[in-house]
Amino acid sequence: MEKSKRQHSKKIGLTTKIILGLVLGIICGFLLQEHQSIATDYIKPFGTIFLNLIKTIVVPLVIFSITQGIISLKDIKKVGSIGAKTIMFYVCTTAFAVAFGLLVANTLNVGGSYVLNSSTLQSYDSAVNKVSLMDTFVNIFPSNFVEPLLNATMLQVIVIAIFFGFGIIKAGEKGKVVANFVESMSEVCIKIMEMIIALSPIGVFALITPVVATNGIAILLPLLRLIGIAYFASILHIIVIYSGTVKLFAGMSPRKFFKGMSPAMLFAFSSASSIGSLPFNLECTEKLGADKEVASFVLPLGATINMDGTAIYQGVCAIFIAQIFGIDLGFGQQLMIILTATLASIGTAGVPGSGVIMLAMVLQSVGLPLEGIALVQGIDRILDMARTTVNVTGDAACTICVDASEKRKLRKRAAVASLEN
């Protein structure tokens, strides 16, 4: 009991420190608007060091945690069941997210007050040609073991981990030595991650300060409407969809969910990194009651392919660009945006600069000018903070729901077994 109280106190303490780092970073950023070089040259490097530490451990953490999670499940059919539920959850919520983004942007007339001359904008025609869905699908499967680990190509890392997990299960008794090694390495990675997480208040401060210093309110005012509507849609999606899903499918109160998720959400907002937020998400979901083996499988997969926040961003930006160019999008075109954004969210997963590529694909699918991408690139870091928070919260909601579903299945089996006996 006493140990539980100490752990609770420690969690609240870390959350408070992260909030304090975020608030101080915002204040410091505003104070340094006239001296941006101080923020970018002397404060930002500490944030970069913090993210580098996280990136260093993320690949081994993902490969060992997913492999260990699969081994813990001990049944390939169970892995398939959890995987199918996870992907279905992510696809459905992503499709709803982009539709919701379109609805909010249309209703609030996100670009109605802007007039733009496209000749002053940078061309992004080449962005569309960088990735095709089929090529990216093929590239999910690595041609060697080492390259994905060196380049942190997360989808390929996940595929490697899944196959190794299946191989260890199939090897049976002969695979136990490897299984024990994987379990030990997973625990080592978690302990290293805990040490890095302890530095998160400093990291958050160092990451947010240069963002505010560089993108002061004077710069943001012309696009403040777009930012406000994107944030409004993101917050509404988090409150309505994730509250609803955890309540409906897991019977968890939204208040408990958001309170437990606050450290991961705060870090996601300040770092704008879904992969970097993964250790926080693992810790938070396990404290909310999710089994470690389920969280270790669902969360790394979600950090790579779940893009609810990015889908909202696609919908809002597509309407914004259409309106400022005076183009009316019909119902059929908006349905095409939903389909393209949903498929592109998985098709471009793990691709550097995937936000730009996805938006280029969406715009091209309905004939909107790609030059409009240059507009939102100036404020992309601000928008990225919101969409990453949505993505990370969605990963956690999926984990809680899938975990509850698996536990219900086990209870039903136990009940049937007791009746048969």
Side-chain angles (χ1 to χ4, degrees):
M1 185 71 178
E2 191 177 332
K3 184 180 179 182
S4 176
K5 285 182 180 178
R6 284 201 305 269
Q7 288 176 339
H8 181 71
S9 175
K10 183 180 178 182
K11 181 187 75 171
I12 296 298
L14 179 62
T15 304
T16 304
K17 288 175 184 177
I18 292 174
I19 292 173
L20 186 61
L22 185 65
V23 172
L24 288 176
I26 291 170
I27 294 171
C28 190
F30 275 114
L31 294 175
L32 291 174
Q33 285 183 79
E34 299 298 322
H35 306 281
Q36 293 177 17
S37 60
I38 296 176
T40 55
D41 296 345
Y42 298 103
I43 296 177
K44 186 178 179 180
F46 290 97
T48 303
I49 290 169
F50 178 65
L51 284 182
N52 286 346
L53 287 173
I54 289 178
K55 289 174 184 176
T56 299
I57 197 61
V58 158
V59 170
L61 179 69
V62 167
I63 197 164
F64 286 117
S65 65
I66 287 185
T67 306
Q68 200 264 331
I70 290 172
I71 296 168
S72 300
L73 296 172
K74 298 177 182 176
D75 184 353
I76 292 177
K77 288 182 180 178
K78 190 175 181 182
V79 176
S81 171
I82 292 175
K85 290 174 185 175
T86 301
I87 292 171
M88 182 64 69
F89 184 98
Y90 289 149
V91 170
C92 289
T93 56
T94 298
F96 181 87
V98 66
F100 185 65
L102 289 169
L103 176 64
V104 172
N106 277 305
T107 303
L108 299 180
N109 193 28
V110 64
S113 58
Y114 295 96
V115 179
L116 192 69
N117 179 1
S118 63
S119 64
T120 62
L121 295 176
Q122 179 182 352
S123 174
Y124 277 80
D125 288 324
S126 59
V128 181
N129 299 321
K130 290 180 182 176
V131 175
S132 78
L133 290 178
M134 286 308 298
D135 285 345
T136 306
F137 176 72
V138 171
N139 290 334
I140 288 173
F141 301 92
S143 58
N144 66 70
F145 178 83
V146 177
E147 189 176 349
L149 305 183
L150 293 176
N151 297 331
T153 311
M154 296 311 299
L155 269 182
Q156 294 186 356
V157 170
I158 288 171
V159 168
I160 290 170
I162 289 171
F163 275 101
F164 265 85
F166 286 164
I168 292 167
I169 291 173
K170 297 286 282 184
E173 194 68 28
K174 291 182 179 179
K176 280 191 174 179
V177 174
V178 182
N180 291 335
F181 170 74
V182 168
E183 185 176 358
S184 297
M185 284 302 297
S186 178
E187 189 63 27
V188 169
C189 290
I190 288 169
K191 294 302 178 185
I192 294 171
M193 205 60 247
E194 287 175 358
M195 291 188 286
I196 298 171
I197 285 173
L199 302 173
S200 56
I202 299 170
V204 165
F205 172 83
L207 288 167
I208 200 70
T209 299
V211 172
V212 176
T214 306
N215 301 281
I217 194 69
I219 297 174
L220 297 180
L221 274 175
L223 296 172
L224 199 56
R225 186 179 181 86
L226 171 62
I227 295 170
I229 290 174
Y231 269 69
F232 173 72
S234 298
I235 292 168
L236 211 57
H237 184 83
I238 287 174
I239 292 172
V240 175
I241 300 305
Y242 300 146
S243 293
T245 53
V246 297
K247 183 66 177 176
L248 180 64
F249 297 113
M252 181 180 290
S253 85
R255 182 178 180 182
K256 178 182 177 182
F257 174 72
F258 289 122
K259 185 177 180 181
M261 280 302 300
S262 56
M265 293 173 71
L266 283 166
F267 183 79
F269 180 77
S270 56
S271 69
S273 172
S274 293
I275 295 294
S277 304
L278 179 58
F280 289 86
N281 228 353
L282 283 165
E283 184 179 0
C284 290
T285 50
E286 286 177 30
K287 286 183 178 180
L288 285 170
D291 285 345
K292 183 179 178 181
E293 58 264 27
V294 174
S296 296
F297 179 79
V298 175
L299 287 176
L301 186 61
T304 307
I305 70 169
N306 178 40
M307 295 191 178
D308 285 5
T310 309
I312 292 171
Y313 161 83
Q314 306 298 321
V316 172
C317 287
I319 298 301
F320 174 74
I321 290 168
Q323 289 182 353
I324 62 173
F325 281 104
I327 299 170
D328 291 323
L329 294 178
F331 181 72
Q333 289 174 300
Q334 297 200 32
L335 281 179
M336 180 60 71
I337 290 174
I338 295 171
L339 178 62
T340 306
T342 303
L343 294 176
S345 69
I346 297 174
T348 60
V351 177
S354 60
V356 173
I357 296 168
M358 281 178 64
L359 187 54
M361 293 170 71
V362 166
L363 296 181
Q364 190 193 44
S365 71
V366 290
L368 290 175
L370 299 180
E371 292 87 353
I373 296 173
L375 274 177
V376 297
Q377 281 301 287
I379 55 166
D380 186 67
R381 183 62 169 77
I382 304 295
L383 296 173
D384 197 15
M385 293 159 73
R387 61 182 184 249
T388 302
T389 306
V390 176
N391 293 344
V392 167
T393 311
D395 297 344
C398 181
T399 302
I400 297 299
C401 293
V402 170
D403 180 71
S405 173
E406 290 301 308
K407 285 174 179 173
R408 280 195 299 270
K409 189 191 294 184
L410 289 174
R411 286 196 295 269
K412 285 180 183 177
R413 286 179 181 172
V416 170
S418 65
L419 287 173
E420 289 175 352
N421 294 330

